[in-house]
């Protein structure tokens, strides 16, 4: 049997110690709440900004002027919210971002490294950018220090496993896996509310380096724990029918950046292939990878490899690019190129085409509003855990702030409940014990084998530009067979136990993705379904939802919020 620790208590539990979770914890503590952060790794170096970040979407009136709608239009057409998301989440970022920027500056994060508000990259040439350039290499260390100063308790190596709800279907706690020792233990948290900030879902979809599953452009240990836990607790999810195609980025070396490069996307002979720039420009980067992915797929179909060509950049351009790549967390990429004798004046960097993928890592997840509230009382969410939100650390941190302040109000007057006595705690103790009981020396599958099977199934049946109901049904059948075998996974230590829990999360989200896709009866955007070849005008501005009801997944529709009223 799994050993169970004594329950811990707090007003607000924050699951995930990335940018969103850390900011949520800081703001909740500033509101007078007692706060615990549950982090899978270590908050000093974890999540999508573990090794840094260099872009922060924000609205600075001194730069952008007083026309807020113009800024929202720029945001709606950016890569993080292309086509628009729920308007309340976009307006939340508009209202909140400057305050977070100024607070980060006061914490000691250099938000104006060159002495002024500098907006570069991810921008159409000639337009005002919305991505603030900053020095984010040490941001996790700084945010951790600020949280500790406020009395926040940080539980490193304590990933979220499940949420606990009471008889009124209100969140009253959570189950964590305590991985601080060689043999895992179970930790129950009694909490008046929970904020999920566990980011997106990686290691779920296949790509050109599927066998190197930790070769990811963002944190590969983010496996959608918050999404899975929210679904199991009864919260509504959205956009699980969507498919994420591999990003146009450094080929075979996923952590390589994109619009931080000061160069031009070119063919093998150095000729530009995109419509935006023909010479390197540090102010914009090459916007092609953000909004014209068809340029890459068209070249792929013609058999033409695509490269990033920095050869015509000035010395100042290249110095700026290298500085930015380091703060974005791509120092290892630069070191690799240096070790290989790469010369930016003579050589080009090959980029991928982004033509195949599958569900995740972001764009699907929990349905939340601009206050951070989910459809479940006492449950809040921030960052890429959302399915209707905006990508990037800025929306994560900003919604983390808003969610924390609302959660602090919600918890006032609420009592701590004995969360360990509810069904979820009892059920998870059985699951944990069963995983530990499986003998490593037997022929039971490892987490690695299961993870590869999940990625391959998504790649083959739900990751191609052409869909069919037969392919989706076949993939769903395969995924259900995989899920049925996961109780037989074996593990020999806390690390492998964590990976087993991750695989369970990945398989659940994969199954939900197939079910949601089967309910989407049209072709739209990059996806063509041979059984439903036309776009359905009734689906304009609609989102497909999925929710656990009476033990079964039930899909539905809701309208995208285009005004505060709807």
């Amino acid at each position: 049997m799994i050993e169970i620790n004594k329950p811990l208590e707090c007003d607000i539990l924050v699951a995930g110690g990335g940018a969103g979770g850390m900011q949520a914890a800081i703001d909740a503590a500033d509101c007078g709440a007692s706060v615990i952060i549950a982090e899978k790794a270590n908050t000093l170096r974890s999540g999508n900004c573990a090794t840094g970040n260099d872009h922060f979407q924000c609205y600075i009136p001194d730069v952008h002027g007083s026309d807020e709608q113009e800024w929202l239009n720029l945001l709606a057409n950016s890569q993080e919210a292309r086509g628009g998301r729920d308007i309340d989440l976009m307006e939340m970022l508009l209202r909140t971002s400057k305050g977070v920027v100024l607070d980060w500056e006061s914490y000691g994060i250099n938000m104006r490294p060159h002495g002024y508000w500098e907006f570069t990259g991810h921008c159409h040439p000639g337009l005002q950018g919305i991505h603030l350039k900053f020095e984010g290499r040490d941001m996790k260390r700084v945010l951790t220090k600020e949280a500790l100063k406020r009395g926040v308790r940080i539980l490193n190596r304590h990933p979220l496993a499940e949420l606990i709800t009471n008889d009124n279907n209100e969140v009253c706690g959570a189950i964590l896996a305590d991985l601080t020792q060689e043999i895992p233990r179970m930790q129950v948290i009694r909490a008046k509310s929970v904020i999920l900030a566990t980011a997106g879902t990686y290691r779920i979809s296949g790509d050109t380096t599927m066998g190197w599953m930790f070769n990811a452009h963002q944190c590969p240990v983010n496996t959608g724990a918050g999404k899975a836990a929210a679904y199991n607790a009864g919260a509504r999810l959205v956009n699980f029918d969507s498919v994420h195609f591999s990003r146009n980025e450094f080929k075979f070396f996923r952590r390589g950046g994109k619009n931080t490069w000061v160069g031009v996307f070119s063919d093998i002979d150095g000729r530009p292939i995109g419509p935006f720039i023909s010479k390197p420009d540090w102010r914009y980067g090459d916007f092609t990878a953000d909004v014209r992915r068809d340029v890459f797929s068209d070249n792929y179909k013609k058999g033409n490899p695509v490269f990033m060509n920095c050869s015509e950049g000035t010395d100042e351009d290249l110095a700026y690019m290298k500085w930015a790549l380091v703060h974005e967390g791509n120092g290892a990429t630069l070191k690799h190129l240096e070790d290989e004798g790469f010369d930016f004046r003579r050589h080009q960097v090959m980029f991928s085409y982004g033509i195949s993928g599958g569900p995740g890592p972001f764009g699907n997840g929990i349905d939340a509003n601009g206050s951070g509230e989910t459809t479940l009382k006492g449950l809040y969410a921030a960052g890429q855990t959302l399915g209707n939100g905006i990508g990037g650390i800025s929306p994560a941190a900003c919604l983390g702030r808003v969610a924390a302040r609302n959660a602090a109000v919600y918890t006032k007057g609420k009592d701590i409940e004995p969360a360990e006595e509810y069904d979820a705690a009892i059920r998870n103790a059985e699951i944990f014990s069963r995983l530990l009981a499986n003998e490593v020396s037997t022929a039971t599958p490892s987490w690695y084998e299961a993870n590869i099977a999940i990625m391959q199934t998504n790649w083959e049946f739900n990751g191609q530009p052409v869909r069919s109901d037969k392919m989706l049904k076949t993939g769903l059948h395969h995924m259900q067979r995989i899920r049925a075998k996961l109780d037989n996974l074996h593990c020999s230590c806390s690390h492998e136990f964590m990976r087993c829990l991750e695989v369970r999360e990945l398989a659940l989200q994969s199954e939900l993705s197939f079910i949601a896709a089967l309910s989407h009866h049209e072709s739209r955007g990059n996806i063509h379904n041979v059984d439903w070849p036309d776009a359905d005008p009734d689906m304009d501005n609609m989102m497909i939802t999925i929710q656990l009801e009476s033990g079964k997944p039930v899909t539905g529709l809701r309208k995208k919020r285009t005004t505060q009223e709807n």
Side-chain angles (χ1 to χ4, degrees):
M1 290 291 292
I2 187 79
E3 183 178 343
I4 302 176
N5 296 337
K6 180 180 178 181
L8 298 175
E9 297 181 356
C10 62
D11 292 327
I12 299 174
L13 170 67
V14 179
M22 296 305 298
Q23 191 61 54
I26 290 168
D27 278 284
D30 283 343
C31 291
S34 62
V35 183
I36 291 176
I37 294 176
E39 166 56 45
K40 180 184 288 187
N42 189 303
T43 60
L44 290 171
R45 188 182 171 89
S46 63
N48 290 337
C49 47
T51 55
N53 198 283
D54 71 326
H55 280 126
F56 194 104
Q57 306 110 294
C58 60
Y59 172 60
I60 305 294
D62 290 346
V63 175
H64 297 105
S66 59
D67 190 343
E68 296 181 351
Q69 187 57 52
E70 181 179 349
W71 188 91
L72 288 171
N73 290 340
L74 291 170
L75 175 63
N77 289 294
S78 68
Q79 65 162 356
E80 296 90 355
R82 195 165 52 164
R85 292 287 180 169
D86 283 324
I87 189 63
D88 53 337
L89 287 158
M90 298 171 69
E91 291 179 342
M92 175 281 304
L93 184 59
L94 174 87
R95 295 190 305 269
T96 312
S97 56
K98 182 180 177 181
V100 174
V101 166
L102 293 175
D103 282 347
W104 279 22
E105 197 167 51
S106 72
Y107 301 160
I109 300 172
N110 192 356
M111 305 302 289
R112 288 181 267 195
H114 299 115
Y116 60 97
W117 300 122
E118 182 179 340
F119 290 86
T120 64
H122 300 291
C123 181
H124 191 294
L127 296 181
Q128 173 60 57
I130 63 172
H131 291 77
L132 179 68
K133 204 75 166 179
F134 77 106
E135 289 186 341
R137 188 178 186 182
D138 296 323
M139 58 179 290
K140 291 303 302 296
R141 177 185 58 80
V142 174
L143 293 174
T144 297
K145 181 180 178 181
E146 290 298 318
L148 292 173
K149 278 170 53 177
R150 291 162 170 79
V152 174
R153 287 175 286 172
I154 298 177
L155 302 181
N156 289 317
R157 294 193 58 74
H158 278 74
L160 172 72
E162 202 75 85
L163 293 169
I164 303 174
T165 56
N166 61 21
D167 294 335
N168 296 319
N169 207 32
E170 300 168 331
V171 171
C172 63
I175 299 154
L176 313 177
D178 177 356
L179 308 178
T180 57
Q181 299 183 36
E182 183 177 358
I183 303 300
R185 293 175 293 178
M186 187 171 117
Q187 178 67 64
V188 173
I189 305 292
R190 301 169 176 170
K192 298 176 183 178
S193 66
V194 175
I195 300 174
L196 297 177
T198 54
T201 308
Y202 292 85
R203 305 200 335 259
I204 191 170
S205 301
D207 60 26
T208 52
T209 64
M210 197 179 336
W212 306 335
M213 64 177 71
F214 288 84
N215 180 28
H217 70 271
Q218 292 189 10
C219 184
V221 301
N222 292 340
T223 51
K227 302 178 190 181
Y231 171 80
N232 285 330
R236 187 171 67 200
L237 309 182
V238 290
N239 290 329
F240 261 81
D241 58 301
S242 64
V243 168
H244 170 81
F245 291 100
S246 301
R247 298 191 349 163
N248 307 112
E249 60 195 355
F250 203 138
K251 194 173 182 70
F252 302 129
F253 200 169
R254 291 305 194 203
R255 187 72 182 184
K258 180 159 56 76
N259 254 52
T260 303
W261 292 83
V262 181
V264 180
F265 286 113
S266 304
D267 63 18
I268 196 168
D269 296 315
R271 293 186 294 263
I273 64 166
F276 299 111
I277 61 173
S278 58
K279 302 287 184 183
D281 192 324
W282 65 273
R283 295 170 298 173
Y284 307 113
D286 193 335
F287 202 42
T288 304
D290 281 1
V291 298
R292 287 294 306 276
R293 297 186 180 183
D294 58 300
V295 171
F296 291 82
S297 58
D298 287 348
N299 274 272
Y300 172 80
K301 294 172 185 176
K302 297 174 183 176
N304 297 329
V306 174
F307 297 86
M308 172 59 69
N309 180 7
C310 306
S311 63
E312 295 189 58
T314 66
D315 291 344
E316 291 76 13
D317 287 335
L318 295 180
Y320 184 90
M321 179 184 74
K322 293 176 181 178
W323 162 80
L325 284 169
V326 167
H327 281 283
E328 191 182 37
N330 289 315
T333 302
L334 288 177
K335 182 64 167 59
H336 168 71
L337 293 175
E338 180 184 325
D339 291 345
E340 294 298 315
F342 186 90
D343 183 346
F344 285 101
R345 296 293 184 200
R346 297 189 300 114
H347 303 135
Q348 299 188 109
V349 177
M350 190 174 182
F351 266 57
S352 65
Y353 296 100
I355 62 162
S356 192
F362 45 82
N364 59 60
I366 301 169
D367 193 354
N369 61 24
S371 298
E373 300 163 328
T374 72
T375 58
L376 203 58
K377 270 197 168 182
L379 182 64
Y380 300 79
Q384 291 180 354
T385 306
L386 271 67
N388 58 321
I390 306 161
I393 64 162
S394 167
C398 291
L399 191 55
R401 161 163 288 181
V402 173
R405 292 175 176 177
N406 286 306
V409 172
Y410 172 84
T411 59
K412 292 186 184 299
K414 292 195 71 69
D415 297 323
I416 291 288
E417 297 191 47
E420 68 278 7
E421 297 178 7
Y422 288 106
D423 289 344
I426 298 169
R427 183 175 63 252
N428 273 266
E430 294 173 352
I431 293 171
F432 284 18
S433 297
R434 192 159 55 243
L435 285 174
L436 290 175
N438 292 334
E439 292 291 335
V440 176
S441 59
T442 64
T444 55
S446 70
W447 70 268
Y448 188 89
E449 293 169 315
N451 205 150
I452 288 291
I454 291 169
M455 295 174 75
Q456 287 178 324
T457 301
N458 282 320
W459 168 283
E460 183 67 31
F461 299 104
N462 197 16
Q464 307 300 321
V466 176
R467 273 178 171 171
S468 73
D469 286 0
K470 290 179 181 178
M471 292 290 283
L472 291 170
K473 288 176 181 177
T474 302
L476 175 61
H477 175 67
H478 277 303
M479 195 59 66
Q480 289 171 335
R481 290 176 60 241
I482 291 170
R483 284 196 71 200
K485 296 180 178 181
L486 295 184
D487 282 345
N488 297 323
L489 295 178
H490 64 251
C491 58
S492 62
C493 61
S494 285
H495 177 78
E496 291 183 355
F497 181 82
M498 174 184 70
R499 297 287 180 237
C500 290
L501 295 183
E502 291 174 342
V503 165
R504 294 173 68 90
E505 297 158 2
L506 295 171
L508 170 60
Q509 293 168 78
S510 299
E511 183 175 332
L512 296 180
S513 179
F514 280 109
I515 293 170
L518 280 165
S519 74
H520 195 166
H521 297 162
E522 66 163 351
S523 293
R524 183 177 291 263
N526 292 327
I527 297 298
H528 176 72
N529 190 317
V530 297
D531 298 307
W532 309 93
D534 300 317
D536 182 355
D538 291 336
M539 289 296 294
D540 292 347
N541 291 322
M542 300 298 288
M543 294 183 181
I544 289 180
T545 66
I546 190 163
Q547 193 166 2
L548 185 64
E549 296 181 9
S550 301
K552 295 182 179 180
V554 177
T555 60
L557 292 172
R558 82 153 172 87
K559 192 172 183 180
K560 184 175 71 175
R561 295 188 291 274
T562 55
T563 67
Q564 290 288 13
E565 286 71 35
N566 67 10

